[in-house]
Amino acid sequence: MKISLNWLSDYVDIEGVEPAELAEKITRSGIEVDAVDDRSKGLKNIVVGHVLECNRHPQADKLNICRVDVGEEEPSQIICGAPNVAAGQKVVVARPGARLPGGVKIKKAKLRGEESHGMICSLQELGFDGKVVPKAYASGIYVLPADARPGEDALALLGLDDTVLELDLTPNRSDALSMLGVAYETAAILSRDVKLPETAHEEAAEPASGHLSLRIDAPEANPLYAAKIVRNVKVGESPEWLKARLMAAGVRPLNNIVDITNYVLMEYGQPLHAFDYDRLGTGEIAVRHAAEGEVIQTLDGTERKLEPHHLLITNGRQPVAIAGVMGGANSEVHDGTTTVVIEAAYFDPASVRKTSRELGLRSDASTRFEKGVDTNRVIEAGERAAALMADLAGGEVLSGTVLFDALDKEPKRVTVSPDFINERLGMKIPFEEMEEILDRLQFPYEAVNGQFVIDAPTRRVDISIPEDIVEEIARLYGYDEIPATLPVMESLPGGLTLYQKKRRSVRRYLEGAGLYQAITYSLTSEQESQQFALETAPVTRLLMPMSEERSTLRQSLLPHLLEAVTYNTARQTSSVALYEVGSVFLGKGEDGLPAEVEHAAGAVTGEWTGGGWQGGQKPVDFYTVKGIVEGLAAELGLSGKLTFRKGAMDGLHPGRTADVLLDGERVGIIGQLHPSEQKARDLKDTIVFELNLERLLKEKTEPLLYTPVPKFPSISRDIALVVPKAIQAATLQTTIRANAGNMLKDIRVFDVYEGDRMEEGLKSIAFSLTYLDPERTLTDEEVSEAHCRIVAALEEEGAQVRN
Amino acid sequence: MEQQLQQLKEEALEAIASAADVKSLNGVRVKYLGKKGPITDLLKGMGKLPAEERPKMGALVNEVRGEVTAELESRMAALEEEAVARKLDAESIDVTLPGTPVKTGNHHPLTRIIEEIEDFFISMGYEVAEGPEVEKDYYNFEALNLPKGHPARDMQDSFYITEDILLRTHTSPVQARTMEIKKGKPFKIICPGKVYRRDNDDATHSHQFTQIEGLVVGEDIRMSDLKGTLDRFAKKMFGEEREIRLRPSYFPFTEPSVEMDISCFKCGGSGCNVCKKTGWIEILGAGMVHPNVLRMGGYDPDVHSGFAFGMGPERIAMLKYGIEDIRHFYTDDLRFIGQFRRTEG
Ligand SMILES: [Zn+2]
């Protein structure tokens, strides 16, 4: 909302308060002032000129040589390129030495050999937004009224001797969508009075009701409808002051009748509509809901198809306006209009809101109706418009108002005690100061048994409960006055849950292991949403996605994580190690909500070790990442419980993928990207993992108990085997473990060889076994005996034991 | 014999002095002090001397042997030291070459900010509460005093899944859910998490972002308690010198509602580009919990009151670290994330 201070001072005295100071006060007490626009800033030496002569420039088709009276003895010669310049006009002249917005300086100049002493200005050149410039002057110079005096300062005429405050309103303060509302607010802040606009006007003897009948078929949606009739109006341009105020408020002037309805809309926050009585044609206004499939052409020339819950103003036969949203083209006021019907009505906020949303039509009117206009000023606003039409358009107001009124205009009564206010704030504001604030707000109240019984003015639709009064008192008393204390309450332990603690250690572990934390988007394309998913479930798709790319919730973290890897490798970061902890969304969970399962995923590509001047660079491989996952299991106390087996997943290398199992259930996957996937993503060898973190974190682990440090020495024995390539290390380990007896403490693979020196199809694998008895020193004989059992068992399974 | 002894001593001392290394010095030791050496011979020849001369000669021989031995040992030590020094010299390296890099990653800057905020409030006795990112309209709006058709719903255009289910637009539904769980008991929580709004991604908007909200409910919770809590938070997060100020604002779930500004940490309040010349920076929104919200959460507003606050970790990170584009947080460029490793202060 743009507030012209010149306009505001019609209703409240702001004398002696600098605009910046006023803006600060308004901001600190409740309504944020976004900008303070001094409209005269940078403007200088701009006067009214009278174009005495206007002749085509001999050297240039599009230029005119004008002789302009600027209030001095001699007229000035000014070259003007505007198509609408003509002799006899009063125009805005920037004289030599003048300043225009953007630091433009006007100097004497020669244009195609002719001297020009200044410039005739368009409104845009004076800093007006093209959107508010009247259409007639949109692509040319502005023409002032004939009574403007040459040499007079043009800034005042154009309303540029003004400062405009731009308010950023929160949705509750719809009262400030009007000059009057802002006047009440300003008056409360400055402790001054409010002066209301003049609504008195003469009326003809003839009653309006003789010319117009009114029927309201939907009183819930339209509880109040007031119509005034003004006849013999002369449609034309509005006076300069009115146009200037509308433009300052951001409204484009059109003609005096429409301008007056807009002016009152801005003044009262009450939207009005003006119908051409003759075009209405029936002498009747009937308000009803639309019929199925009914169509109206609105003022903007668009055909709109309506639904049965849309409220219409009709002439009894056909729609003439969508109630509270936009007028129809068929009944619009035009240059030849002589009789006007002014509509001042109250439409149900929810109904207007729904209609304007559904039709995609948001107007100054609908934004005000949908927040609720002041029930007690609807009729008054209509009177104000009639008074202005009589005054500015020469109209004759017929007597009385054609009225339907079933609107509840009772103020909301709020009862609140000063103690409640002070307790809620943690303050000790004296009773008298609260009274003073209520007076400044012009909230009528009575003090009954130590309580305030307040009738909240109907302009303040946001006031309805005691807490609202707490806020009103506090904001005007000043939030700076509130002391700083801490809650006094039973002491609560606080802290992280076990799950949250474990999740933090997972992050720290993965970072310690060399991975950087990524955060990617949860929304992806439907097509990609299930790629790499550990468990697929119905997808969760948005009703109205902004793009297909962000239409569906992910079921795996990997697609976006891999996108981030590619993003990095495409920018000269060849080694990338990223992880993410985040939720995946599995449709058909409880309550219709998808199950959200927290996962951890990682993706690593490029060199893993080395990279310094010492060399030793080694690219990441499957075992690097498996080591990270095993380390994570150790971190979470799941070392023994997490097992691995050959796995498979689309997009992963079929020979280099492992399922991660917890109690036999798949809880994760580790693998190298499939070569075709790597190619598609423009990546070198990339190893990924994804784990159902939630499952891992919720797994109960044994309490951490100390195992005594062995007092007796252990004995190590190595076994080197030659086996077919397909035999897995895990199988051999199982055999070893099964035959070793309980002295075996540890099995470690320390060498695997599959190279040229081996026979085709065979590999060698060497284990180091550690034997220990915590109670005594083992003898060589017992270890040898166990070792022989193992060797025998392995040989039985086809392994050759090498010595 | 005495003379012979004197000469022998001089010879030995000269041989020691001229030995160039440990090996030749060991040769000198064997030659003069060995079992077949001249001094041993002299001792063996003592028997031939008259009995009265023996003690004197014996002492003399021992003295010479002692002197030679001592000299030999000191020379030996010197030579060994030299050898070590030569070896060490040969082993010296260029210490200015870079060390072997330690490969570690680090937190995403948002996690860094969120954990810092969590830890502050945990120290004040808060729990960390979490909730689903896909929410029911009821928890996201209705339970927060935003019934269907409420004009404030415009403030946050949402991603709906069905008519009643949407991606949460703020972390406030966790507040509503927590009230149901706590069943009328007092509590203090903060709720961090991802939220979603229907925005086109640009330098200042992101359809996905994070929030942290706090909620305290108990008997006699006052607005001054909110101010005191926020004041401590601002000082902890942005420096002890920070001042805060509250400005009236509007949120449907609080009444009164405020916005909190902190004095600019860059210019200290004199005005700069960070604070847009105002000296103040808007950090968060807050307020006293609306009685309707308490009521819907199963708390009696006549008995209980509370305060709530909410902020955007992205905004805080952008202000704190001078980040100019919100999209950096979701691009995961290592040249960006890698900058948030070190400790501060
Ligand atoms: Zn600053």
Side-chain angles (χ1 to χ4, degrees), chain B residues 263-281:
Chain B
S263 57
C264 180
F265 46 77
K266 191 170 176 207
C267 65
S270 56
C272 69
N273 58 335
V274 170
C275 58
K276 298 192 188 98
K277 306 257 187 293
T278 64
W280 296 94
I281 299 173

Side-chain angles (χ1 to χ4, degrees), chain A residues 24 27-32 170-172 353 357 362 370-371 420 423-427 465 467-468 470-471 474-475 479-490 492-497 499-500 503-504 507-508 510-523 540-546 550 553-554 564 567-568 571-573 575-583 585 591-594 596 598 607-614, chain B residues 97-101 103-108 110-111 114-115 118-119 122 124-136 149-155 157 159-163 165 167 177 186-188 194 196-201 206-208 216-229 231-232 245-250 255-259 282 288 290-291 301 304-305 307 327 329-335 337-338 341:
Chain A
E24 172 70 8
T27 296
R28 292 304 312 277
S29 57
I31 296 173
E32 193 170 343
T170 50
N172 59 324
R353 181 179 150 81
R357 290 206 125 196
R362 308 206 73 191
E370 68 185 37
K371 285 173 176 151
F420 177 81
E423 275 162 24
R424 201 39 65 87
L425 294 172
M427 295 179 85
I465 56 171
E467 284 77 3
D468 295 324
V470 172
E471 178 166 62
R475 72 185 182 90
Y479 281 155
D480 289 346
E481 305 304 316
I482 299 179
T485 59
L486 288 176
V488 180
M489 60 196 292
E490 111 186 34
L492 304 163
L496 295 171
T497 62
Y499 183 93
Q500 290 162 343
R503 184 173 50 201
R504 279 197 181 187
R507 287 204 205 105
R508 277 186 182 73
L510 290 172
E511 286 157 19
L515 276 58
Y516 289 83
Q517 189 195 4
I519 300 179
T520 66
Y521 293 137
S522 307
L523 285 169
T540 308
R541 198 182 151 88
L542 301 180
L543 273 182
M544 285 186 300
M546 296 174 76
R550 306 262 174 267
L553 287 164
R554 62 186 175 184
Y567 180 91
N568 279 286
R571 283 162 183 79
Q572 290 112 36
T573 310
S575 299
V576 181
L578 290 172
Y579 81 94
E580 178 169 17
V581 169
S583 289
F585 302 83
D591 280 354
L593 299 179
E596 291 182 28
E598 198 151 43
E607 306 296 341
W608 183 251
T609 49
W613 53 272
Q614 288 166 297
Chain B
L97 282 168
T100 309
K103 224 181 178 90
T104 56
N106 57 253
H107 276 6
H108 189 283
L110 290 176
T111 304
I114 289 169
E115 285 195 0
E118 283 177 352
D119 290 343
I122 287 169
M124 306 269 282
Y126 287 63
E127 295 172 84
V128 178
E130 296 172 81
E133 292 168 34
V134 181
E135 254 304 358
K136 293 184 183 178
H150 191 289
R153 283 199 180 197
D154 274 359
M155 284 162 87
D157 269 356
F159 287 122
Y160 274 90
I161 307 276
T162 69
E163 207 158 292
I165 294 175
L167 302 192
R177 284 176 176 270
F187 65 87
K188 300 196 263 190
K194 291 177 185 145
Y196 305 84
R197 287 188 199 171
R198 233 188 139 70
D199 269 324
N200 282 307
D201 298 338
S206 181
H207 75 277
Q208 175 181 323
V216 173
V217 176
E219 291 178 19
D220 302 322
I221 300 294
R222 303 156 298 177
M223 196 146 166
S224 58
D225 300 332
L226 169 65
K227 192 171 176 184
T229 301
D231 186 54
R232 291 221 179 169
R245 70 172 192 186
L246 302 181
R247 273 184 296 112
S249 187
Y250 169 74
E255 186 69 43
S257 302
V258 292
E259 245 152 325
E282 187 180 317
M288 301 303 290
H290 196 287
H304 291 99
S305 54
F307 65 73
R327 286 169 294 197
F329 295 112
Y330 297 96
T331 312
D332 297 313
D333 190 324
L334 285 174
R335 295 168 301 178
I337 300 176
R341 174 185 295 274

Side-chain angles (χ1 to χ4, degrees), chain B residues 23 33 42 82 86 95 117 189 209 213 216 239 260 263 270-271 299 323:
Chain B
K23 197 179 159 207
L33 299 175
L42 278 177
E82 270 174 43
R86 269 197 308 278
V95 298
I117 297 171
I189 53 162
F209 57 103
E213 296 193 17
V216 173
M260 181 189 85
S263 57
S270 56
Y299 286 76
I323 298 163

Side-chain angles (χ1 to χ4, degrees), chain A residues 527-536 555-556 558-559 562 646-659 666 668-678 680-681 686 688-690:
Chain A
Q527 195 203 343
E528 207 173 50
S529 64
Q530 294 185 310
Q531 201 188 0
F532 301 114
L534 282 176
E535 181 188 344
T536 53
Q555 295 191 355
S556 160
L558 284 174
L562 287 167
K646 191 170 166 49
M649 178 173 282
D650 281 350
L652 295 185
H653 190 305
R656 297 184 176 181
T657 296
D659 287 337
R666 183 163 92 162
I669 193 128
I670 306 173
Q672 181 176 331
L673 279 194
H674 195 286
S676 62
E677 190 71 29
Q678 287 181 173
R681 294 179 180 273
T686 302
V688 299
F689 72 87
E690 177 150 353

Side-chain angles (χ1 to χ4, degrees), chain A residues 105-352:
Chain A
K105 247 194 210 169
I106 301 301
K107 285 183 266 183
K108 265 192 240 173
K110 261 194 177 174
L111 287 165
R112 299 273 176 112
E114 289 290 342
E115 282 201 353
S116 183
H117 296 255
M119 180 172 110
I120 303 178
C121 300
S122 70
L123 290 181
Q124 290 91 330
E125 282 161 339
L126 292 165
F128 284 87
D129 183 343
K131 282 184 290 209
V132 304
V133 173
K135 285 210 169 108
Y137 310 115
S139 51
I141 55 161
Y142 186 63
V143 181
L144 292 166
D147 60 359
R149 290 193 321 275
E152 183 186 4
D153 181 6
L155 296 187
L157 263 182
L158 294 166
L160 287 171
D161 58 340
D162 194 6
T163 298
V164 173
L165 304 187
E166 217 163 296
L167 307 186
D168 181 11
L169 294 175
T170 50
N172 59 324
R173 290 303 302 272
S174 55
D175 61 300
L177 282 168
S178 67
M179 296 302 300
L180 265 182
V182 176
Y184 276 105
E185 178 76 8
T186 309
I189 294 166
L190 300 178
S191 213
R192 294 185 182 176
D193 293 330
V194 173
K195 186 171 161 275
L196 293 176
E198 189 57 67
T199 57
H201 56 270
E202 292 199 351
E203 293 196 346
E206 210 176 323
S209 55
H211 294 268
L212 190 71
S213 65
L214 180 62
R215 203 179 78 234
I216 308 296
D217 289 343
E220 291 79 24
N222 179 202
L224 191 161
Y225 196 104
K228 300 278 307 176
I229 297 178
V230 186
R231 69 181 174 198
N232 300 328
V233 296
K234 221 174 151 286
V235 177
E237 265 189 58
S238 295
E240 215 47 38
W241 65 266
L242 195 143
K243 283 194 283 187
R245 285 185 172 185
L246 286 181
M247 287 192 283
V251 177
R252 187 203 293 271
L254 198 65
N255 60 48
N256 50 4
I257 300 300
V258 174
D259 290 354
I260 286 167
T261 60
N262 283 331
Y263 185 81
V264 177
L265 161 80
M266 291 296 162
E267 190 173 46
Y268 279 84
Q270 169 65 46
L272 301 174
H273 188 69
F275 295 104
D276 179 307
Y277 177 84
D278 298 313
R279 285 189 171 185
L280 203 58
T282 56
E284 184 186 355
I285 282 188
V287 183
R288 60 163 171 83
H289 282 112
E292 188 82 56
E294 199 165 356
V295 170
I296 182 172
Q297 190 186 13
T298 42
L299 279 176
D300 55 3
T302 311
E303 287 259 308
R304 313 225 171 228
K305 212 175 147 225
L306 303 164
E307 307 263 347
H309 56 269
H310 295 156
L311 191 68
L312 290 178
I313 314 297
T314 73
N315 64 358
R317 296 182 200 140
Q318 62 195 36
V320 292
I322 304 171
V325 177
M326 194 176 264
N330 53 5
S331 56
E332 194 181 352
V333 170
H334 58 103
D335 287 348
T337 298
T338 56
T339 305
V340 173
V341 179
I342 304 169
E343 165 198 289
Y346 184 97
F347 298 113
D348 173 54
S351 158
V352 173

Side-chain angles (χ1 to χ4, degrees), chain A residues 363-682:
Chain A
S363 57
D364 282 336
S366 71
T367 51
R368 284 167 178 78
F369 278 127
E370 68 185 37
K371 285 173 176 151
V373 297
D374 184 349
T375 49
N376 280 301
R377 291 241 154 88
V378 181
I379 296 171
E380 187 181 324
E383 298 292 344
R384 169 72 171 158
L388 286 170
M389 284 182 200
D391 193 18
L392 305 176
E396 184 188 12
V397 184
L398 297 192
S399 80
T401 303
V402 183
L403 183 67
F404 171 84
D405 186 358
L407 180 61
D408 175 10
K409 301 190 224 31
E410 277 301 300
K412 282 205 193 89
R413 176 154 292 185
V414 184
T415 304
V416 57
S417 75
D419 285 349
F420 177 81
I421 295 171
N422 276 328
E423 275 162 24
R424 201 39 65 87
L425 294 172
M427 295 179 85
K428 293 193 177 70
I429 304 176
F431 180 78
E432 297 71 32
E433 295 206 35
M434 292 189 190
E435 285 191 306
E436 194 226 304
I437 290 170
L438 292 174
D439 287 339
R440 278 157 59 190
L441 285 164
Q442 304 201 28
F443 282 12
Y445 68 92
E446 273 181 79
V448 182
N449 301 329
Q451 305 242 73
F452 289 119
V453 180
I454 299 163
D455 283 333
T458 45
R459 64 190 151 82
R460 289 294 304 272
V461 290
D462 58 322
I463 306 290
S464 60
I465 56 171
E467 284 77 3
D468 295 324
I469 302 298
V470 172
E471 178 166 62
E472 292 300 301
I473 299 281
R475 72 185 182 90
L476 287 168
Y477 192 76
Y479 281 155
D480 289 346
E481 305 304 316
I482 299 179
T485 59
L486 288 176
V488 180
M489 60 196 292
E490 111 186 34
S491 159
L492 304 163
L496 295 171
T497 62
L498 182 61
Y499 183 93
Q500 290 162 343
K501 276 188 203 150
K502 284 185 179 182
R503 184 173 50 201
R504 279 197 181 187
S505 27
V506 166
R507 287 204 205 105
R508 277 186 182 73
Y509 164 77
L510 290 172
E511 286 157 19
L515 276 58
Y516 289 83
Q517 189 195 4
I519 300 179
T520 66
Y521 293 137
S522 307
L523 285 169
T524 183
S525 65
E526 182 160 351
Q527 195 203 343
E528 207 173 50
S529 64
Q530 294 185 310
Q531 201 188 0
F532 301 114
L534 282 176
E535 181 188 344
T536 53
V539 295
T540 308
R541 198 182 151 88
L542 301 180
L543 273 182
M544 285 186 300
M546 296 174 76
S547 67
E548 181 52 35
E549 206 192 348
R550 306 262 174 267
S551 64
T552 309
L553 287 164
R554 62 186 175 184
Q555 295 191 355
S556 160
L557 308 183
L558 284 174
H560 279 163
L561 206 53
L562 287 167
E563 231 172 74
V565 174
T566 304
Y567 180 91
N568 279 286
T569 55
R571 283 162 183 79
Q572 290 112 36
T573 310
S574 55
S575 299
V576 181
L578 290 172
Y579 81 94
E580 178 169 17
V581 169
S583 289
V584 301
F585 302 83
L586 308 174
K588 297 254 153 62
E590 277 172 47
D591 280 354
L593 299 179
E596 291 182 28
V597 186
E598 198 151 43
H599 278 200
V604 187
T605 193
E607 306 296 341
W608 183 251
T609 49
W613 53 272
Q614 288 166 297
Q617 277 96 325
K618 202 172 151 258
V620 64
D621 63 15
F622 176 87
Y623 299 106
T624 314
V625 175
K626 186 180 177 195
I628 292 171
V629 172
E630 286 169 332
L632 181 64
E635 176 79 22
L636 295 173
L638 300 173
S639 272
K641 288 191 179 172
L642 221 56
T643 56
F644 302 86
R645 68 166 181 223
K646 191 170 166 49
M649 178 173 282
D650 281 350
L652 295 185
H653 190 305
R656 297 184 176 181
T657 296
D659 287 337
V660 183
L661 309 172
L662 180 64
D663 293 337
E665 175 199 344
R666 183 163 92 162
V667 294
I669 193 128
I670 306 173
Q672 181 176 331
L673 279 194
H674 195 286
S676 62
E677 190 71 29
Q678 287 181 173
K679 199 173 163 215
R681 294 179 180 273
D682 204 8

Side-chain angles (χ1 to χ4, degrees), chain B residues 50-293:
Chain B
E52 64 276 18
E53 283 182 35
R54 277 182 210 162
K56 191 185 157 210
M57 265 323 279
L60 206 60
V61 172
N62 275 334
E63 192 191 322
V64 168
R65 189 167 62 176
E67 257 179 82
V68 171
T69 306
E71 187 58 26
L72 195 128
E73 251 144 42
S74 105
R75 177 73 185 143
M76 182 64 87
L79 283 175
E80 272 171 357
E81 211 172 290
E82 270 174 43
V84 168
R86 269 197 308 278
K87 183 160 184 276
L88 291 180
D89 188 51
E91 284 172 1
S92 57
I93 56 169
D94 178 357
V95 298
T96 66
L97 282 168
T100 309
V102 177
K103 224 181 178 90
T104 56
N106 57 253
H107 276 6
H108 189 283
L110 290 176
T111 304
R112 188 182 164 112
I113 294 282
I114 289 169
E115 285 195 0
E116 200 177 334
I117 297 171
E118 283 177 352
D119 290 343
F120 168 76
F121 284 104
I122 287 169
S123 78
M124 306 269 282
Y126 287 63
E127 295 172 84
V128 178
E130 296 172 81
E133 292 168 34
V134 181
E135 254 304 358
K136 293 184 183 178
D137 186 274
Y138 173 78
Y139 287 112
N140 194 76
F141 289 128
E142 279 175 58
L144 299 166
N145 198 31
L146 275 154
K148 288 214 159 103
H150 191 289
R153 283 199 180 197
D154 274 359
M155 284 162 87
Q156 35 199 17
D157 269 356
S158 335
F159 287 122
Y160 274 90
I161 307 276
T162 69
E163 207 158 292
D164 291 311
I165 294 175
L166 74 162
L167 302 192
R168 65 178 176 192
T169 57
H170 45 195
T171 46
S172 316
V174 184
Q175 302 188 2
R177 284 176 176 270
T178 304
M179 279 193 269
E180 282 186 2
I181 294 165
K182 296 285 181 182
K183 294 200 185 347
K185 292 206 181 63
F187 65 87
K188 300 196 263 190
I189 53 162
I190 49 162
C191 327
K194 291 177 185 145
V195 301
Y196 305 84
R197 287 188 199 171
R198 233 188 139 70
D199 269 324
N200 282 307
D201 298 338
D202 62 25
T204 53
H205 296 86
S206 181
H207 75 277
Q208 175 181 323
F209 57 103
T210 59
Q211 260 193 354
I212 285 203
E213 296 193 17
L215 174 64
V216 173
V217 176
E219 291 178 19
D220 302 322
I221 300 294
R222 303 156 298 177
M223 196 146 166
S224 58
D225 300 332
L226 169 65
K227 192 171 176 184
T229 301
L230 295 181
D231 186 54
R232 291 221 179 169
F233 167 70
K235 288 182 162 61
K236 172 80 180 173
M237 201 72 190
F238 297 100
E240 279 303 316
E241 326 74 65
R242 295 285 72 76
E243 299 289 326
I244 67 162
R245 70 172 192 186
L246 302 181
R247 273 184 296 112
S249 187
Y250 169 74
F251 307 105
F253 23 91
T254 49
E255 186 69 43
S257 302
V258 292
E259 245 152 325
M260 181 189 85
D261 299 336
I262 59 167
S263 57
C264 180
F265 46 77
K266 191 170 176 207
C267 65
S270 56
C272 69
N273 58 335
V274 170
C275 58
K276 298 192 188 98
K277 306 257 187 293
T278 64
W280 296 94
I281 299 173
E282 187 180 317
I283 292 292
L284 53 76
M288 301 303 290
V289 182
H290 196 287
N292 289 352
V293 175

